[in-house]
Amino acid sequence: MKLFKFGGASVKDADGIKNVFSVLEKVGHENVLLIISAMGKTTNALEVVIQNYFEKSDALNASVQEVRKYHNQILMELFEEDNHPVFSAVNAHFKELDYFLNHNKSPNYNFVYDQIVSFGELISTTIVSFYFNYRGLKNNWLDVRQFIKTDATYRDALVDWEQTQKLITKQIKKKNLYITQGFIGSDENNFTTTLGREGSDYTAAIFAYCLNAESVTIWKDVPGVLNADPRFFENAILLNQISYREAIELAFYGASVIHPKTLQPLQRKEIPLFVKSFLNPMLPGTKVYKHVDLEPHTSCFIVKKNQLLISLSSIDFSFIMEENISEIFALFHQFKMKVSLIQNSAISFSVCLEVIFCNFTELKSILAKKFKVSYNENVSLYTIRHFTEKAAQMVEENKTVLVKQISRETMQVVTKE
């Protein structure tokens, strides 16, 4: 089978959904499994619902209605009949959301987050599936929660590969067109879990691994994998091909085109990954595969904004040794801090962190009991793969460099604008 993943930008409105239909007409749809994200900025809109839910805000109902209104507008543009069954199918999802908001007893933010935010994917795939049937393209809608089983680490769940493999191979039949959700799964109690932000790419890789797929294609609004994010760098160029290893390096350092967890399962079974444009689907895009050289061979730039740089030094001028570092990393793990850069000396230890769940204040108070803590908020981390002197100068220009680290192939710089 072939796995196609379409992100939120590709289905942000009625024209986008029509375009996805057009893409399948051009590239083929037999023996294809579609992974589809929430439409447009729906995940962000549902995060507002979650915020209002916990604050017991008077705006809760209005924020739900905003999500409903957005999807209803798309429905009215796609379907001519007001009584088309898609309206009741989508309404059923909103009724389920309302029921949860009115009856949930759990105070666990991460649990509530996953139960609510997942409706974005459920609704988007329902609309796309009905639209394809409406246009004569028969398909099977799947609830991904019946296939991808995880632990109960809400918002960043770990996949139970053995159980997931059994469920997928038992129920997915070749030659059909399937449509299912990215980003979500379910735990052993059938509560919804999510695989982390941008986890839809990972969903495609999970299905591809379990189905021994022919390929995975991620359809984006860019022509493929670029050597830099065009939002931050001028004259970004298309990479025609890169190896798994290079792609994993780029993903690890924060390249946004490919989710960090996506590549490992594909590499294990040597399943090629294509990144293509849903605006120009017949262009070749970028191929990610084993043992291929970076083409063209050029510097690749990755930037992470809004990072946190922490420097820890021993209060009594003693060395920061292995036991200290082990204790520090245990705290980072406990507080779900993602480490992007490490630099240490005899009596100091610096890390650049991605703060995911806004809990730095508590972590800082614990660290301050043993270390002198200095920190800079809202710093930027630039990573240059295959760096040159010219590339380094371009990144450092007109910025204050706080930390600089160079290895054989990679240069990292933490800056304050």
Side-chain angles (χ1 to χ4, degrees):
M1 295 192 77
K2 294 180 181 179
L3 274 292
F4 290 172
K5 179 261 176 174
F6 286 91
S10 66
V11 290
K12 65 181 180 181
D13 52 27
D15 286 340
I17 294 168
K18 291 175 182 177
N19 182 64
V20 171
F21 180 85
S22 175
V23 169
L24 290 182
E25 283 191 314
K26 292 174 182 174
V27 302
H29 47 73
E30 188 180 84
N31 213 16
V32 167
L33 195 155
L34 287 184
I35 309 290
I36 297 177
S37 302
M39 294 177 167
K41 301 295 183 182
T42 299
T43 299
N44 293 344
L46 287 168
E47 287 175 341
V48 174
V49 172
I50 295 162
Q51 180 183 344
N52 290 336
Y53 172 80
F54 275 102
E55 294 174 356
K56 305 300 180 189
S57 168
D58 293 340
L60 174 60
N61 186 58
S63 59
V64 174
Q65 291 308 312
E66 279 296 311
V67 179
R68 187 190 290 265
K69 179 182 174 183
Y70 169 68
H71 289 91
N72 278 343
Q73 181 62 41
I74 292 173
L75 285 171
M76 288 188 289
E77 293 179 27
L78 289 176
F79 300 91
E80 294 178 359
E81 308 91 352
D82 293 341
N83 61 347
H84 191 282
V86 69
F87 288 94
S88 59
V90 169
N91 191 47
H93 288 305
F94 280 104
K95 283 184 177 178
E96 191 178 343
L97 172 59
D98 288 339
Y99 184 87
F100 177 82
L101 293 171
N102 290 318
H103 293 86
N104 171 62
K105 299 292 192 294
S106 173
N108 183 333
Y109 180 90
N110 294 333
F111 170 79
V112 172
Y113 182 98
D114 281 5
Q115 308 319 301
I116 293 176
V117 81
S118 55
F119 280 98
E121 279 71 20
L122 294 168
I123 294 166
S124 71
T125 52
T126 298
I127 293 172
V128 172
S129 177
F130 271 94
Y131 178 71
F132 282 12
N133 280 322
Y134 182 67
R135 292 286 303 274
L137 184 52
K138 300 302 178 188
N139 65 88
N140 298 287
W141 182 88
L142 305 176
D143 185 336
V144 75
R145 297 172 295 182
Q146 297 176 8
F147 296 87
I148 295 181
K149 304 301 289 186
T150 73
D151 68 359
T153 308
Y154 300 107
R155 295 187 72 186
D156 198 16
L158 295 173
V159 174
D160 181 333
W161 283 94
E162 184 177 351
Q163 194 178 3
T164 298
Q165 175 84 66
K166 287 178 182 176
L167 291 168
I168 288 176
T169 52
K170 181 180 178 182
Q171 298 184 61
I172 304 294
K173 308 301 179 187
K174 293 184 177 181
K175 302 298 182 186
N176 296 326
L177 172 63
Y178 293 95
I179 295 176
T180 195
Q181 307 78 38
F183 181 52
I184 63 179
S186 68
D187 63 19
E188 64 179 1
N189 294 313
N190 293 320
F191 288 116
T192 304
T193 58
T194 62
L195 306 175
R197 280 301 289 265
E198 311 300 333
S200 293
D201 293 358
Y202 187 38
T203 303
I206 294 167
F207 273 98
Y209 179 90
C210 294
L211 292 167
N212 295 313
E214 177 184 327
S215 63
V216 173
T217 303
I218 298 174
W219 297 94
K220 307 280 289 186
D221 56 0
V222 291
V225 179
L226 304 177
N227 76 320
D229 188 330
R231 293 175 299 173
F232 305 115
F233 296 92
E234 295 180 359
N235 305 317
I237 61 174
L238 175 68
L239 304 175
N240 301 318
Q241 65 176 32
I242 55 177
S243 66
Y244 290 127
R245 177 178 289 276
E246 186 66 39
I248 287 171
E249 290 281 3
L250 293 174
F252 171 79
Y253 289 117
S256 60
V257 173
I258 305 171
H259 191 276
K261 293 184 288 190
T262 299
L263 293 155
Q264 283 93 344
L266 300 180
Q267 183 186 31
R268 285 202 296 271
K269 291 201 174 176
E270 298 184 354
I271 299 168
L273 170 68
F274 296 91
V275 181
K276 294 188 177 186
S277 168
F278 58 73
L279 302 173
N280 297 287
M282 303 313 291
L283 295 179
T286 302
K287 181 178 182 180
V288 184
Y289 197 48
K290 64 173 183 175
H291 309 316
V292 293
D293 293 329
L294 179 65
E295 182 190 299
H297 196 280
T298 185
S299 296
C300 297
F301 301 84
I302 302 126
V303 59
K304 283 184 170 182
K305 299 284 189 178
N306 303 315
Q307 301 288 293
L308 175 69
L309 179 65
I310 305 178
S311 295
L312 306 174
S313 56
S314 53
I315 296 172
D316 59 359
F317 291 97
S318 61
F319 291 157
I320 292 186
M321 302 295 286
E322 289 84 354
E323 63 267 24
N324 305 117
I325 295 172
S326 175
E327 182 182 358
I328 293 165
F329 270 87
L331 286 168
F332 290 159
H333 177 72
Q334 178 185 335
F335 285 87
K336 299 191 183 302
M337 302 284 182
K338 294 205 171 183
V339 178
S340 303
L341 176 145
I342 306 166
Q343 192 171 83
N344 69 296
S345 67
I347 58 172
S348 69
F349 181 78
S350 296
V351 286
C352 191
L353 296 168
E354 191 171 345
V355 182
I356 301 175
F357 297 143
C358 303
N359 44 14
F360 172 57
T361 303
E362 187 179 352
L363 171 63
K364 182 176 64 174
S365 66
I366 296 172
L367 290 171
K369 294 174 183 176
K370 285 196 171 185
F371 305 98
K372 179 183 176 183
V373 181
S374 304
Y375 63 93
N376 299 86
E377 296 181 290
N378 299 317
V379 299
S380 297
L381 172 63
Y382 290 88
T383 302
I384 311 173
R385 289 280 295 162
H386 315 293
F387 68 93
T388 63
E389 188 174 334
K390 182 180 178 182
Q393 288 175 349
M394 186 178 74
V395 163
E396 294 176 21
E397 190 175 12
N398 299 322
K399 301 180 185 74
T400 301
V401 175
L402 302 175
V403 176
K404 186 173 182 178
Q405 193 162 272
I406 298 175
S407 62
R408 290 184 179 89
E409 290 280 349
T410 305
M411 173 179 172
Q412 290 190 285
V413 183
V414 179
T415 70
K416 194 76 176 174
E417 304 296 329

